[in-house]
Amino acid sequence: MISKSQVKDIRSLSSVKGRQEQHRYLVEGDKLSREWLHQGKNICHVLATSSWLREQEALLQQHPETLIHEVTPDELARVSTQKTPHDALLVVALPDFQYALPQHEWCIALDRLQDPGNLGSILRIADWFGIGHVVCSPGCANFFNPKVIAAGMGAHLRVALHETSLEAFLAQCQMPVFAAALQGTPISQFPKQKAATLLIGNESTGIYPALLQRATHKVHIPGGGGAESLNAAVSAGILVAALFGGIR
Amino acid sequence: MISKSQVKDIRSLSSVKGRQEQHRYLVEGDKLSREWLHQGKNICHVLATSSWLREQEALLQQHPETLIHEVTPDELARVSTQKTPHDALLVVALPDFQYALPQHEWCIALDRLQDPGNLGSILRIADWFGIGHVVCSPGCANFFNPKVIAAGMGAHLRVALHETSLEAFLAQCQMPVFAAALQGTPISQFPKQKAATLLIGNESTGIYPALLQRATHKVHIPGGGGAESLNAAVSAGILVAALFGGIR
């Protein structure tokens, strides 16, 4: 059973404003809730059905500080941001810790990336390949948007997330910067990199010209078909696989 | 000005049932509407603001059979499936033509791929690399779902779309079949292919075991990080880039 004011508080976590005011964010669904309980800290509330709570009893005992609420599927549907029904939902404190910006380590930097699904998929790419840092410019989708959490599939627990001016980041960056640009050099002409930043731009307008000038290399993925471009997350995946991953 | 019954008809095109009954689908937004008018046929209706209609006058004259409706932004918002306002929306007849299934040509085959954004992104990958065919199993998201149209970015105009049993497709297929599977061989061990089918499975459960057995090769993308998997469209992009594209 949850109160009306609790419903209101949880629902407001789908907006940036609500998350800033409460300094909390949402994690939704069985799989992600279990992953956060396994690896995460600062879990304020668990809202879940009685059967889910029973199944996860041992896991929940590791979080004595967490408030646990047994709710009905209808109550969960009322606070969830998703269409399909869930067994569980967490309210988690936003992390306070600011990581140092990477200087010599592989990193993906995003210039005003708008789509939460793309941002989540790119965090998942970093997490898959073991890239430790993702840097977002102001104007990107928010790391703690529920759709980013869903598409990230747990990447938030393992990848250091930075939001800062990309000019400032690139100024202190001591590694090659590869910018994805339609007029770039084919990616096959570059060897695998020990440390580099991959810079991906806005879905419609690409990378801001002043930033693009600061890239040490402009790269593109040779196509040959009729499309004007690839999806931003797909491009990021192919470029990371070529410059960092084991596809060659 | 559009009537109530027109609003109802157009809104119902967001469902499979509505599209089947009317044998039509939606194309939304300025960019895609222009692309369809440039390359597409069988455009039944254009709904657009007066300024958009004025700008596209020459283009619209190439479609004398099309009914043109001048509407207000509010009227467009009422029929649109999207949140952000648009200048234009088309109602297009579903294609009747059935293409022959590819036997010796590059193809992406999808087993019960659920997410419309993923399906659209994969069509866009095929379109980018010039892969002529995408084959979907029954149970995939529908090719003409408005979200698939939006994410496909015009791929529907250039890629042959097939919906059929993948068992039947693979039975007649005379080329190597590469199945994306977490327990597969690293992709780097395979050379570029002249003709092949890349088989991608459902986002949660992967490829149906009986289908996986029919693949000539199981491949995976070496990772090294903490994520369990990559997004299906990102995986497809990396595997196509490695097996077909010019990234090595």
Side-chain angles (χ1 to χ4, degrees):
Chain A
M1 180 68 190
I2 43 172
S3 69
K4 270 193 184 173
S5 76
Q6 282 174 318
V7 170
K8 198 180 148 208
D9 281 354
I10 295 174
R11 289 175 68 119
S12 77
L13 295 178
S14 61
S15 73
V16 172
K17 186 166 167 271
R19 290 194 293 276
Q20 280 175 343
E21 281 173 3
Q22 296 182 54
H23 205 68
R24 291 174 174 185
Y25 67 101
L26 285 180
V27 172
E28 300 182 75
D30 161 52
K31 193 170 155 59
L32 288 187
S33 294
R34 282 188 284 114
E35 194 162 347
W36 249 261
L37 285 165
H38 270 294
Q39 299 186 34
K41 289 172 189 167
N42 302 319
I43 295 163
C44 310
H45 299 273
V46 175
L47 285 81
T49 57
S50 59
S51 59
W52 194 88
L53 291 174
R54 242 190 340 267
E55 283 165 22
Q56 308 306 330
E57 205 175 334
L59 189 53
L60 291 165
Q61 281 173 357
Q62 298 168 28
H63 295 269
E65 78 293 355
T66 302
L67 296 171
I68 293 170
H69 311 262
E70 184 180 317
V71 292
T72 65
D74 278 358
E75 284 178 309
L76 267 180
R78 222 179 316 146
V79 291
S80 173
T81 69
Q82 300 185 353
K83 281 182 194 169
T84 43
H86 286 299
D87 299 320
L89 174 152
L90 311 182
V91 176
V92 186
L94 281 173
D96 280 319
F97 185 68
Q98 294 290 316
Y99 303 94
L101 285 167
Q103 295 182 321
H104 303 281
E105 282 166 89
W106 251 95
C107 168
I108 303 174
L110 304 170
D111 179 27
R112 296 163 298 129
L113 195 87
Q114 290 298 294
D115 185 82
N118 281 342
L119 177 54
S121 292
I122 289 174
L123 296 180
R124 193 171 168 190
I125 290 166
D127 192 19
W128 176 257
F129 287 105
I131 290 178
H133 299 267
V134 172
V135 181
C136 274
S137 74
C140 278
N142 186 270
F143 285 128
F144 298 96
N145 177 319
K147 288 183 185 168
V148 179
I149 301 281
M153 294 287 278
H156 290 72
L157 297 169
R158 291 174 289 268
V159 177
L161 310 174
H162 309 265
E163 190 188 318
T164 188
S165 140
L166 294 189
E167 284 82 358
F169 165 61
L170 293 182
Q172 62 87 59
C173 190
Q174 296 173 27
M175 52 188 160
V177 177
F178 289 83
L182 290 172
Q183 278 75 38
T185 306
I187 185 67
S188 55
Q189 298 191 18
F190 296 95
K192 202 164 155 174
Q193 304 289 309
K194 274 199 180 156
T197 287
L198 175 66
L199 180 56
I200 301 282
N202 174 274
E203 288 88 344
S204 306
T205 59
I207 297 166
Y208 187 64
L211 272 180
L212 191 58
Q213 284 187 346
R214 307 195 65 153
T216 51
H217 308 283
K218 296 178 189 69
V219 289
H220 103 288
I221 299 161
E228 272 181 30
S229 62
L230 283 164
N231 165 279
V234 171
S235 297
I238 295 172
L239 294 172
V240 166
L243 291 171
F244 179 79
I247 63 163
R248 52 182 178 179
Chain B
M1 181 68 191
I2 43 172
S3 70
K4 270 191 184 175
S5 77
Q6 282 174 318
V7 169
K8 198 180 149 209
D9 281 352
I10 295 173
R11 289 176 68 120
S12 78
L13 296 178
S14 62
S15 74
V16 173
K17 186 165 167 273
R19 291 193 293 275
Q20 280 176 342
E21 281 173 2
Q22 297 181 53
H23 205 67
R24 291 174 174 184
Y25 67 100
L26 285 181
V27 173
E28 300 182 76
D30 162 54
K31 194 171 155 59
L32 288 186
S33 294
R34 282 187 286 116
E35 194 162 349
W36 249 260
L37 285 166
H38 270 295
Q39 298 186 35
K41 289 171 189 167
N42 302 319
I43 295 163
C44 309
H45 298 273
V46 176
L47 286 80
T49 57
S50 58
S51 59
W52 193 89
L53 292 174
R54 242 188 340 266
E55 283 164 21
Q56 308 306 331
E57 206 175 332
L59 189 54
L60 292 165
Q61 281 174 355
Q62 297 168 29
H63 295 268
E65 79 292 355
T66 302
L67 295 171
I68 294 170
H69 311 261
E70 184 180 319
V71 292
T72 64
D74 277 359
E75 285 177 308
L76 267 181
R78 223 180 313 148
V79 290
S80 173
T81 68
Q82 300 184 352
K83 281 182 194 168
T84 44
H86 286 300
D87 299 321
L89 175 151
L90 311 182
V91 176
V92 185
L94 280 173
D96 281 318
F97 185 67
Q98 293 289 316
Y99 302 94
L101 285 168
Q103 296 183 322
H104 302 281
E105 282 166 87
W106 251 95
C107 168
I108 303 174
L110 304 171
D111 179 27
R112 297 163 297 128
L113 195 87
Q114 290 298 294
D115 184 80
N118 281 342
L119 177 53
S121 293
I122 289 174
L123 295 180
R124 194 171 167 190
I125 290 167
D127 192 19
W128 176 257
F129 285 105
I131 290 177
H133 299 267
V134 172
V135 181
C136 274
S137 75
C140 279
N142 184 270
F143 285 128
F144 298 97
N145 177 318
K147 288 182 186 169
V148 179
I149 301 280
M153 293 287 279
H156 291 72
L157 297 169
R158 290 175 290 268
V159 177
L161 310 175
H162 309 266
E163 190 187 319
T164 188
S165 139
L166 294 189
E167 284 83 357
F169 164 62
L170 292 182
Q172 61 87 59
C173 190
Q174 297 175 25
M175 52 187 159
V177 177
F178 289 81
L182 290 171
Q183 278 75 37
T185 306
I187 185 67
S188 56
Q189 297 191 20
F190 296 95
K192 197 166 157 174
Q193 304 290 310
K194 274 199 180 156
T197 288
L198 175 65
L199 181 55
I200 300 282
N202 175 273
E203 288 88 345
S204 305
T205 59
I207 297 166
Y208 187 62
L211 272 180
L212 192 58
Q213 284 188 345
R214 310 197 63 154
T216 52
H217 309 283
K218 296 179 189 68
V219 289
H220 103 288
I221 300 160
E228 272 183 30
S229 63
L230 282 164
N231 165 280
V234 171
S235 296
I238 295 172
L239 293 172
V240 166
L243 290 172
F244 178 79
I247 66 162
R248 51 183 180 180

